[in-house]
Amino acid sequence: MSRDYLDFDVAVTREGQGYAAHVLASPAGEASAPFTLPFAATDLAQFMIAVGPPRVSSRRLVPAEARVVDVKEYGRRLGDALLSGDVGRAFRESLTTATSQGRDLRLRLRLDAVPDLDPVPWEYLYDSRLGRFLTLSQETPIVRLLDSLERPPVVHVDAPLRVLVMISSPSDMPELAVDRERQLLMATTNDLVASGRLTVTVLEDATLTGLQRALLDDFHVFHFIGHGGFDQQAQEGVLVLEREDGTAHRVSGARLGTLLHDARTMQLAVLNACEGARTSGRDAFSGVGQALVRQGLPAVVAMQTEISDRAALVFSHEFYYFLTRGLGIDAAICEVRKAMAVSDEASEWGTAVLLRSGADQPFSFTTSATAATERPESRLESLYDAAKGALLARAPATALPLLEQIAAEHPDYQDVTQLLERVRPEAAPADEGPTPRPRREPVTPTQPLPLLDTQPDTQPNTGQEIQQDTEPLTRPEPQPDPQPDRGGEDAPPPPDPHPRRKGNGFVRSLVGLVVLFGLFWLGATQVPKWFKGATADVTSACGPAPAAASAPTTTFVAGCATTTPAIDGDFADWDGVPTAPIPHVIAQVGTPQPEFGGDWQVVWDSSALYLRVHVVDPDIRSVNLATPGAWFNGDGFSFEFGPDARNLDPAATTRRGQDVHVMVGLSRDAPTSGVASINPAGRGTFTTGTRHPEITVGRADTLTGYDLEARVPWSSLQLRKAPVRGSVFSMNVNLSDATSAPATWRLRTMKSTNASRTAATQGFPHGWQTITLADAAS
């Protein structure tokens, strides 16, 4: 069933200050055209949010329809940029040639010369002329092509396809629900196992030694689920395995490839670590997936971002389903993407990256004559049984994605609708572990980024092998149904988890009096506030409303923080707060980082001003606090702040006791926080200040830079009392990028919200921008 492809090979290279796309081989011959990346770094970050799992709170801010439209628009811009000029002409002619020959056209991208373009999600490339995403069709798959030091022969697979799974959750890393991941994988592939087409073996020992011993047996696929990240010091991607004592063992792609290289039948790796497909932006083989391909593994499928449980269920089943039907890996990935695209409203279908080294398929698959005939309903039965088992084990968060997938495929299946109505309110993360972080974990050498926000499950890990081809998985023994009476079923209802507690009449009477008093208090004090909508909340947080007056027109508007942001490096509290860019280059020395940039958010209350800054900066330099008077010889943000200066004389300089320059930066001594300093106004400018510990700072390193958030008390901004709603202040916000290589600090680039803000004009407040403290941001 393997497709017959013609190849359209495109290499992107640097040309002067820009890029060029070169068609190296195609049915239409060679061609070249300039290429301009149609995104800024911040656009790419927003795009990855748009295509991510909708279960993450920061991705629920826009409806599904808007997310899909955004994805199409991003993909169209990328497609128009790559397939333009002579390259576009060659692509269209090659499509025509392939169609006339009854063949398909495979787009193979070579990014060796431009590793900085490797993070671009090329899998979402949209062809405006065809009116579709290329990779959602077997006729036009997209593959990232890499050179390999070796080209192993094609492996003939007589069913079953043997998959070795490692689920790694070190004790000193954010907890991964090993049993839950295992149960989901078991449930979604059980029908393939039962048919004899697939075997899945889960390693009990997630160590490098355990993997080495397991590879003495023949396996065709290595499937990793766990943490992945990027080692800043070694400048290479890593997967996080476990040591003998259960702690984290960061393993590079090169070391992992050493083991997989000698596994003769191993042809494919699937990396469900969300940084498994990322590189440093400098070496195209520093990512784990790239390193494995270079060492001779024919194919790697690695995730660009985290994926939701629903998407993981669909991916695992459909990928192995199509591989065991004899589809080539290029076509199988296309079918998986289509299945993911139609199974949910999210756009996670482009998350998987296919890395290849050559044109040959890694497998030639044949079905055993003894393979059982699959029943169409077997997959639903497997998902349903696993969901019921999870409910009986009081693990609703495990049951939820299973039930949602059944409902998506067969809404009328048994009592799935009723179970979902029950499970959705109960599937709170508190039932099964810590609340998942809505944003990604920091990616640092000491804490790589986990793929899935999973919770620990309640069942012990037996480490046993998932059912082999000799015996299908058995269903759980009949147990009391977790549902109430569904009409006619013999299974008795489960015992009441909250039985009534008996007590004497006096206690009951006392409780009744307390309840009556509580109801009276609510009616007298709280209910009137509820009927006033948000007014009471805003008044409580930011003071009474000002006298009626026309709202001033200012550069920025800060909304009242009715919910105070927690300065903890989580950043979930900033969801829904409007974002403004920091776009203007106001200082530059030497060669800048083209990716450097960022945006900011702001809210306020009666106690403080709160700021959050998101920075794209692949080359981070932290501050050395051991150097007195040099708190910010590194990366960070700053802002000028003072009373409204619009009516001030343009020649007037900074006002002592009123204007301040606040600096917030990264610290080597505080990897999860930062350091703040205030430069006070001097004669015509700001003087070097001191560290201000009352300003609390939260920090998280990201895939492309870092995030900082800060709480700045009004007293630190020279205000003797809290400002009132409607107050106007003068303010600029700036970003600093320092060089990391030299021992001596040197500023590389500075950006600002204010294009007129320079070192020479900083001391003249009349030229600063303005901000209104309002009820709501706009």
Side-chain angles (χ1 to χ4, degrees):
M1 294 177 61
S2 241
R3 309 281 289 205
D4 188 10
Y5 287 111
L6 298 178
D7 287 321
F8 187 83
D9 292 352
V10 180
V12 182
T13 61
R14 286 197 176 275
E15 298 288 336
Q17 297 298 314
Y19 303 100
H22 304 281
V23 180
L24 304 180
S26 80
E30 299 179 355
S32 295
F35 171 73
T36 301
L37 185 65
F39 315 117
T42 51
D43 293 330
L44 281 179
Q46 292 171 359
F47 177 74
M48 299 314 290
I49 289 176
V51 302
R55 64 185 177 84
V56 178
S57 60
S58 63
R59 291 168 181 152
R60 292 195 183 110
L61 300 179
V62 294
E65 295 79 3
R67 288 200 303 269
V68 173
V69 169
D70 287 343
V71 171
K72 181 178 176 180
E73 173 60 20
Y74 275 84
R76 182 195 62 76
R77 289 162 59 188
L78 185 59
D80 289 350
L82 181 66
L83 304 177
S84 65
D86 289 343
V87 172
R89 175 193 53 76
F91 181 74
R92 291 186 291 276
E93 291 180 4
S94 297
L95 271 178
T96 302
T97 301
T99 302
S100 67
Q101 297 179 11
R103 303 168 77 181
D104 301 314
L105 189 67
R106 177 170 50 196
L107 176 58
R108 304 197 301 180
L109 278 172
R110 302 195 65 117
L111 304 172
D112 310 59
V114 284
D116 52 309
L117 296 185
D118 188 77
V120 175
W122 300 96
E123 287 66 29
Y124 290 94
L125 195 146
Y126 184 91
D127 189 305
S128 299
R129 292 175 179 266
L130 295 177
R132 61 176 173 83
F133 295 97
L134 293 185
T135 196
L136 284 182
S137 171
Q138 291 189 42
E139 297 176 359
T140 50
I142 294 177
V143 176
R144 301 197 188 196
L145 186 64
L146 300 168
D147 287 329
S148 173
L149 300 178
E150 299 182 45
R151 193 69 56 82
V154 176
V155 171
H156 174 74
V157 178
D158 188 10
L161 183 71
R162 296 175 58 83
V163 180
L164 177 64
V165 178
M166 175 182 282
I167 306 176
S168 175
S169 182
S171 58
D172 55 346
M173 295 289 295
E175 188 171 11
L176 184 69
V178 173
D179 292 317
R180 180 182 179 205
E181 294 297 327
R182 189 169 178 275
Q183 290 168 11
L184 293 177
L185 185 62
M186 178 192 301
T188 197
T189 57
N190 187 30
D191 59 325
L192 303 176
V193 172
S195 70
R197 296 178 180 273
L198 186 74
T199 66
V200 183
T201 303
V202 179
L203 265 177
E204 182 177 358
D205 181 8
T207 65
L208 211 54
T209 300
L211 177 60
Q212 179 182 4
R213 292 171 179 171
L215 290 175
L216 294 176
D217 296 325
D218 287 340
F219 291 98
H220 307 115
V221 181
F222 173 62
H223 191 129
F224 177 84
I225 301 173
H227 299 294
F230 184 75
D231 188 324
Q232 295 282 2
Q233 183 175 2
Q235 288 291 292
E236 61 183 357
V238 296
L239 297 184
V240 184
L241 276 58
E242 299 175 14
R243 297 188 185 277
E244 298 297 335
D245 62 358
T247 59
H249 184 194
R250 290 163 179 82
V251 178
S252 67
R255 293 185 66 190
L256 184 61
T258 300
L259 291 185
L260 299 182
H261 176 271
D262 285 349
R264 298 292 184 184
T265 58
M266 184 69 68
Q267 294 288 91
L268 169 66
V270 177
L271 305 180
N272 270 9
C274 52
E275 286 313 290
R278 291 283 182 171
T279 68
S280 66
R282 297 174 184 172
D283 176 3
F285 298 106
S286 59
V288 175
Q290 289 89 337
L292 294 179
V293 171
R294 185 176 187 183
Q295 290 202 13
L297 197 65
V300 173
V301 175
M303 302 301 167
Q304 298 184 76
T305 65
E306 61 177 345
I307 60 174
S308 64
D309 289 339
R310 282 279 309 281
L313 284 173
V314 176
F315 173 84
S316 295
H317 181 271
E318 299 304 300
F319 184 54
Y320 292 125
Y321 175 88
F322 288 111
L323 283 181
T324 57
R325 288 303 180 280
L327 264 69
I329 192 169
D330 316 85
I333 282 289
C334 288
E335 291 302 316
V336 170
R337 297 192 199 282
K338 287 194 286 187
M340 294 174 72
V342 301
S343 121
D344 196 4
E345 77 275 9
S347 299
E348 300 177 75
W349 49 264
T351 298
V353 172
L354 176 57
L355 305 167
R356 293 284 310 274
S357 63
D360 293 335
Q361 295 299 326
F363 305 113
S364 103
F365 192 90
T366 58
T367 303
S368 172
T370 60
T373 302
E374 286 185 41
R375 296 179 298 112
E377 66 275 13
S378 60
R379 168 168 162 75
L380 295 178
E381 289 176 358
S382 175
L383 297 177
Y384 182 78
D385 287 345
K388 294 291 285 291
L391 290 175
L392 289 171
R394 298 191 181 279
T398 300
L400 181 60
L402 297 166
L403 294 171
E404 287 180 334
Q405 190 56 37
I406 297 171
E409 297 181 19
H410 198 311
D412 298 329
Y413 190 82
Q414 297 199 31
D415 58 342
V416 164
T417 302
Q418 294 91 333
L419 287 175
L420 272 174
E421 290 175 355
R422 173 192 168 189
V423 168
R424 279 180 173 139
E426 293 183 3
D431 291 342
E432 297 180 74
T435 302
R437 296 168 65 90
R439 296 185 59 83
R440 296 190 176 108
E441 294 288 343
V443 182
T444 68
T446 58
Q447 187 168 337
L449 177 70
L451 169 65
L452 297 174
D453 290 328
T454 52
Q455 299 89 27
D457 214 317
T458 57
Q459 296 185 359
N461 179 16
T462 63
Q464 68 187 29
E465 180 178 286
I466 295 179
Q467 206 69 26
Q468 298 299 309
D469 58 309
T470 56
E471 181 181 49
L473 281 172
T474 57
R475 299 187 187 179
E477 292 296 324
Q479 300 184 50
D481 194 291
Q483 276 286 346
D485 179 29
R486 296 196 300 266
E489 292 195 3
D490 296 330
D496 186 354
H498 304 290
R500 298 177 184 270
R501 295 174 173 82
K502 297 182 179 180
N504 58 41
F506 172 76
V507 173
R508 288 197 296 270
S509 299
L510 182 60
V511 171
L513 288 174
V514 172
V515 171
L516 287 174
F517 178 79
L519 291 173
F520 173 79
W521 178 81
L522 284 172
T525 65
Q526 301 302 306
V527 172
K529 292 183 180 181
W530 297 343
F531 284 95
K532 291 181 181 178
T535 303
D537 290 335
V538 173
T539 299
S540 174
C542 299
S550 59
T553 300
T554 56
T555 316
F556 310 112
V557 177
C560 175
T562 54
T563 300
T564 303
I567 308 302
D568 55 4
D570 189 314
F571 302 96
D573 297 334
W574 295 96
D575 293 345
V577 177
T579 300
I582 308 176
H584 304 292
V585 176
I586 57 173
Q588 191 161 286
V589 179
T591 303
Q593 293 189 95
E595 305 92 344
F596 175 66
D599 50 52
W600 72 296
Q601 296 165 285
V602 60
V603 293
W604 73 287
D605 63 19
S606 295
S607 67
L609 186 69
Y610 304 85
L611 300 96
R612 179 267 178 123
V613 174
H614 170 69
V615 183
V616 177
D617 183 357
D619 184 21
I620 295 177
R621 181 188 180 106
S622 297
V623 178
N624 185 359
L625 297 182
T627 306
W631 304 116
F632 293 98
N633 290 352
D635 295 335
F637 78 92
S638 66
F639 63 94
E640 292 85 21
F641 189 90
D644 184 5
R646 288 176 296 179
N647 295 325
L648 200 65
D649 189 313
T653 58
T654 51
R655 298 155 288 185
R656 289 189 179 184
Q658 298 184 70
D659 296 325
V660 293
H661 180 217
V662 181
M663 307 182 74
V664 180
L666 310 181
S667 167
R668 299 179 190 175
D669 303 329
T672 59
S673 62
V675 59
S677 162
I678 294 181
N679 298 328
R683 294 182 178 179
T685 185
F686 293 104
T687 61
T688 301
T690 59
R691 188 174 179 182
H692 277 245
E694 78 277 8
I695 300 176
T696 52
V697 182
R699 168 185 174 183
D701 291 352
T702 66
L703 306 180
T704 56
Y706 60 90
D707 285 83
L708 288 170
E709 58 183 351
R711 177 187 182 274
V712 187
W714 291 117
S715 59
S716 299
L717 297 175
Q718 305 294 317
L719 271 69
R720 297 182 179 179
K721 61 180 181 179
V724 299
R725 290 152 63 182
S727 297
V728 175
F729 294 90
S730 291
M731 181 180 189
N732 304 317
V733 180
N734 321 295
L735 294 180
S736 296
D737 175 31
T739 56
S740 62
T744 304
W745 171 82
R746 182 165 58 87
L747 179 69
R748 177 161 42 198
T749 305
M750 193 170 190
K751 286 191 170 185
S752 178
T753 56
N754 188 347
S756 301
R757 192 276 194 201
T758 65
T761 63
Q762 180 192 21
F764 299 92
H766 177 79
W768 296 355
Q769 295 172 314
T770 50
I771 185 170
T772 300
L773 305 185
D775 294 357
S778 60

